Amino acid sequence: MAHRKELVQQISSALHQWEVGHGIVSPDHPTTSNGVQVASVQTLARRIAIDKAGRYKFDLVIVDEAHHAVANSMWGRILSHSADAH
């Protein structure tokens, strides 16, 4: 997950070059069931807040600019939501 649209696009481009199928969690992209998701932190936080089906639980979370991921931030709430992730 990343906090800027440009960073989400850069990560997506790199995954595409490595031929890694993925979805993008962002208002500008349709929801997919791909095992790999590149997420805008703002969109992911909003979707987790209304996620009744547990759709946004992850096995692995990679955070761009991890210094943002403190407990009372959007980042921290997302990580708490997937507390079993590595």
Side-chain angles (χ1 to χ4, degrees), residues 3-15:
H3 73 290
R4 294 183 50 209
K5 184 177 184 176
E6 296 82 7
L7 295 173
V8 169
Q9 290 301 325
Q10 287 175 8
I11 296 165
S12 176
S13 293
L15 290 171

Side-chain angles (χ1 to χ4, degrees), residues 16-32:
H16 182 70
Q17 287 178 343
W18 297 325
E19 299 180 5
V20 175
H22 64 282
I24 298 177
V25 180
S26 173
D28 302 338
H29 293 86
T31 301
T32 70

Side-chain angles (χ1 to χ4, degrees), residues 37-70:
Q37 297 289 321
V38 180
S40 156
V41 69
Q42 297 88 349
T43 302
L44 185 56
R46 281 192 302 273
R47 291 186 185 177
I48 282 174
I50 60 171
D51 182 25
K52 304 297 183 217
R55 174 183 230 168
Y56 295 99
K57 294 272 188 176
F58 303 101
D59 297 322
L60 174 68
V61 178
I62 299 172
V63 179
D64 183 61
E65 298 194 37
H67 63 278
H68 291 294
V70 295

